[in-house]
Amino acid sequence: VIAACGMGVHTLGPVELIAGLRMEATDVESSGYLLEDDQIVGVSNEGDYVSWLPSVLANWNVTENLIVRGSVTRALGRPDFDDIAPRASYSEELGNGSLSVGNPELEARMSWNFDASIEWYPNDLTLLSAAVFYKDIEDDLVGLSERYTTAADIEAALAANGLAGAVDTSILTE
């Protein structure tokens, strides 16, 4: 990840405005192994993307003891390394198989974040505050679970992920 950012602050009487912009260029390279025609074959995948993350914050000193704050920001959350590696793991328990497959083409989830708060300082030792926020998440990263009950369905799913022949489905009971 290569990042660059800039920020500016401007005061208009009792209002302080803070604006910023962060750019992150992400380059992902991953590698793993697949079974092809009874041979273990090394595979690799790579991708890149650029994220622009603006932010604007405002602090309004309504009075000496009352402050109103608000912000709009853009954020990202990257997938875990295990989730993007081009590899698969298989486990079996009591005749039931479980296959986990990574997806090297996953990109970061993005969100717009909206925050607002009000703070009241009645004296030097007391603070009363209330805050609200809203987060709009795009492209959230969630795991996908599918259940296959026949050997033919399992073999088709394995083949679709480049894992044909990786599991002997004839021994599975469910």
Side-chain angles (χ1 to χ4, degrees):
V1 176
I2 296 174
C5 60
M7 183 186 89
V9 179
H10 187 69
T11 303
L12 299 166
V15 178
E16 176 187 47
L17 296 173
I18 305 168
L21 179 63
R22 187 171 85 235
M23 181 280 306
E24 291 192 4
T26 304
D27 184 20
V28 178
E29 295 179 16
S30 56
S31 62
Y33 297 94
L34 292 177
L35 186 64
E36 290 182 4
D37 300 323
D38 295 327
Q39 299 290 321
I40 296 174
V41 178
V43 295
S44 63
N45 200 336
E46 60 184 57
D48 55 25
Y49 54 92
V50 175
S51 303
W52 295 92
L53 308 166
S55 63
V56 177
L57 295 83
N59 300 310
W60 177 25
N61 295 312
V62 180
T63 68
E64 188 175 303
N65 298 333
L66 183 66
I67 302 173
V68 175
R69 302 179 194 275
S71 68
V72 177
T73 60
R74 184 84 165 147
L76 65 82
R78 291 185 181 80
D80 293 334
F81 291 116
D82 286 345
D83 294 336
I84 61 173
R87 64 178 181 206
S89 64
Y90 175 77
S91 63
E92 183 181 335
E93 184 174 327
L94 301 173
N96 293 306
S98 176
L99 177 69
S100 296
V101 180
N103 182 356
E105 297 179 20
L106 286 177
E107 292 185 4
R109 70 179 158 263
M110 302 294 292
S111 70
W112 282 104
N113 310 298
F114 304 90
D115 298 270
S117 68
I118 187 167
E119 302 169 4
W120 179 47
Y121 300 87
N123 59 53
D124 290 341
L125 300 175
T126 307
L127 161 66
L128 295 171
S129 68
V132 295
F133 72 92
Y134 176 77
K135 182 178 284 237
D136 182 14
I137 300 173
E138 303 164 8
D139 301 322
D140 199 12
L141 304 169
V142 295
L144 172 65
S145 178
E146 296 184 55
R147 184 172 175 88
Y148 301 102
T149 56
T150 68
D153 289 343
I154 295 168
E155 289 167 6
L158 290 168
N161 286 290
L163 299 168
V167 177
D168 180 8
T169 59
S170 67
I171 62 171
L172 299 177
T173 59
E174 275 188 54

